[in-house]
Amino acid sequence: MPSPTGDPFLLTPGPLTTARETKEAMLHDWGSRDSGFIEANARVRNRILEIANATHSHVCVPVQGSGTFAVEATLGTLIPDYGKSLILVNGAYGHRMAKILKIIGRQYVILETPEDTPPDPEEVDDMLDNDDEYSHVIMVHCETTSGILNPIKEISKITKARELSLIIDSMSAFGAIALNANEIQFDAVMASSNKCLEGVPGMGFSIIRKSVLEGCEGNAHSLSLDLYDQWQNMEKTQQWRFTPPTHVIAAFDKALDIYDAEGGPDGRGKRYRNNCRILVEGMREMGFETLLPDDLQAPIIITFKMPADANFEFQTFYDGLKDKDYVIYPGKLTVADSFRIGCIGQLGEAEMRGALQAVRQTMNEMNVVNGAP
Ligand SMILES: *Cc1c(COP(=O)(O)O)cnc(C)c1O
């Protein structure tokens, strides 16, 4: 199927395909003190809190840049230099948080499981038992490296019982997979404008427990990534400290209208689960195998094992799909040779079926009869 804009469909973890109305919302210029912009900024921040049911307990602090900027800003602002973190790692984004802590000089220990294995809550509990110096537990909600869903609820019960601070990178899940502050006790959740909320890239944000952030003055390792300062300034003046990504926020506000109209987290989650199901079923019919069993698979991005057929060559496959207007994503795994297909963004059943048709055609062109690994 042809794309309505002539741009290819992005079956990736981001940047993603966005709605026409979201792109059109950027066809204006705003001054940073413009009342329309200030209202949109306040609205976006409130709407993000509502999604997490965190309006009364937390504040939303945005920051310019991609998602990693929000992650680095949150870790630097919340973890004091005497803090000690346990990082649960099963992919590249967990490792990235460890790298951030290393660079900014905070103590941490990694508990690593293979990319197709979630952390075991009992093992986490044991590690915390053996060392009472831990102050924070840090984890990834959906580890985009594989597409695995990690057990944030089980881990939050452990951190709650021990009165430890839980920080969750929910970048690729927020807005589509339930994360309710009433059910999961967290001190910070990071996400961005451009993943499941389907805005354009350029703004990260952190949902931070207000009582915690109030005590974070002076923690940050960086001026521009100091979320305490960003928050204080925004509360006092309604404005960003430095040039705000005005167009990104205008587009985000529109993307959130579309999100609400779709039914919020339930509606968005339902569409993505349907996308994921269609894609996985169709690929399995062609012989492809997913890395993960269905009960560990988040409906965000799916890792497929590389086919064994000698005629299969990934770059040719990628280019063949791109020619047909579908962009997929290379694998990032260490456990298996693989590639990934995302099912988030402004895409539905028709685009998923179109992608499957393009895969079938490209396999024919390559003389690959079966996708089995
Ligand atoms: C996308 C993503 C990020 C942020 O990546 P950026 O490229 O900086 O936007 C962080 N964590 C996870 C789990 C992600 O999927």
Side-chain angles (χ1 to χ4, degrees):
M1 68 181 280
S3 144
T5 54
D7 303 325
F9 298 109
L10 302 175
L11 300 156
T12 69
L16 300 169
T17 301
T18 57
R20 166 177 287 277
E21 296 90 317
T22 299
K23 291 186 270 283
E24 281 173 352
M26 293 186 286
L27 295 174
H28 301 277
D29 299 307
W30 297 266
S32 57
R33 289 158 193 266
D34 181 303
S35 62
F37 168 70
I38 286 177
E39 282 162 25
N41 188 53
R43 203 159 46 231
V44 164
R45 290 177 65 213
N46 285 330
R47 296 171 94 170
I48 289 168
L49 289 176
E50 281 165 17
I51 294 169
N53 203 0
T55 306
H56 302 294
S57 48
H58 294 68
V59 293
C60 172
V61 191
V63 66
Q64 299 92 332
S66 81
T68 305
F69 290 66
V71 174
E72 185 162 356
T74 304
L75 298 183
T77 303
L78 261 56
I79 305 172
D81 54 14
Y82 52 83
K84 179 170 177 177
S85 304
L86 177 63
I87 313 179
L88 312 183
V89 174
N90 54 357
Y93 292 98
H95 279 300
R96 185 177 295 176
M97 293 200 282
K99 191 171 181 186
I100 289 170
L101 290 191
K102 185 168 187 194
I103 290 172
I104 69 177
R106 304 291 197 272
Q107 238 198 106
Y108 64 90
V109 172
I110 287 175
L111 175 60
E112 186 167 7
T113 47
E115 286 149 334
D116 55 0
T117 310
D120 174 3
E122 267 181 44
E123 201 178 335
V124 173
D125 212 27
D126 284 348
M127 281 196 74
L128 296 171
D129 255 344
N130 291 330
D131 185 346
D132 59 10
E133 281 183 8
Y134 285 114
S135 53
H136 295 75
V137 174
I138 304 177
M139 68 186 297
V140 181
H141 191 181
C142 165
E143 178 47 89
T144 321
T145 310
S146 63
I148 197 171
L149 189 60
N150 282 323
I152 55 168
K153 194 166 184 176
E154 287 80 351
I155 302 297
S156 77
K157 285 183 190 154
I158 294 171
T159 51
K160 183 180 179 186
R162 293 173 179 274
E163 296 183 6
L164 295 177
S165 185
L166 177 64
I167 299 180
I168 305 171
D169 170 358
S170 185
M171 204 66 60
S172 62
F174 188 76
I177 300 177
L179 199 167
N180 186 327
N182 281 346
E183 289 167 11
I184 292 172
Q185 184 164 315
F186 62 85
D187 279 354
V189 162
M190 298 80 83
S192 78
S193 52
N194 178 244
K195 290 195 175 175
C196 301
L197 296 174
E198 298 185 4
V200 303
M203 189 189 112
F205 58 84
S206 191
I207 300 171
I208 308 177
R209 186 177 299 283
K210 194 176 170 203
S211 57
V212 168
L213 188 56
E214 279 164 351
C216 290
E217 184 174 7
N219 278 354
H221 61 292
S222 152
L223 171 69
S224 54
L225 298 179
D226 184 344
L227 294 186
Y228 176 84
D229 212 38
Q230 177 85 316
W231 172 56
Q232 284 291 305
N233 196 75
M234 216 171 265
E235 292 298 307
K236 284 189 195 118
T237 68
Q238 305 297 309
Q239 289 174 25
W240 291 56
R241 285 178 305 163
F242 312 126
T243 304
T246 43
H247 295 70
V248 174
I249 291 161
F252 202 5
D253 196 27
K254 175 53 75 178
L256 288 169
D257 289 341
I258 297 171
Y259 181 72
D260 287 347
E262 192 175 350
D266 293 344
R268 181 84 17 121
K270 190 173 166 196
R271 173 159 58 86
Y272 288 174
R273 283 193 299 278
N274 195 44
N275 284 352
C276 181
R277 182 186 56 77
I278 292 168
L279 196 59
V280 168
E281 280 177 10
M283 292 293 279
R284 283 181 180 155
E285 273 170 26
M286 289 182 259
F288 288 93
E289 273 181 28
T290 60
L291 173 79
L292 298 170
D294 293 348
D295 63 336
L296 292 179
Q297 176 72 60
I300 305 292
I301 187 163
I302 300 117
T303 299
F304 294 98
K305 295 181 188 167
M306 211 58 95
D309 192 310
N311 289 335
F312 189 90
E313 210 261 317
F314 180 71
Q315 193 59 45
T316 314
F317 182 63
Y318 179 96
D319 293 340
L321 292 176
K322 172 82 198 293
D323 283 345
K324 298 169 189 66
D325 273 349
Y326 294 90
V327 174
I328 64 166
Y329 219 59
K332 207 176 185 177
L333 291 185
T334 52
V335 293
D337 200 14
S338 62
F339 64 89
R340 291 177 287 175
I341 306 185
C343 58
I344 62 176
Q346 192 50 220
L347 305 169
E349 183 160 347
E351 289 77 19
M352 293 300 121
R353 299 212 183 278
L356 289 168
Q357 179 63 23
V359 169
R360 223 170 277 122
Q361 280 174 8
T362 307
M363 302 240 305
N364 280 340
E365 289 159 16
M366 295 169 74
N367 267 320
V368 174
V369 274
N370 191 290

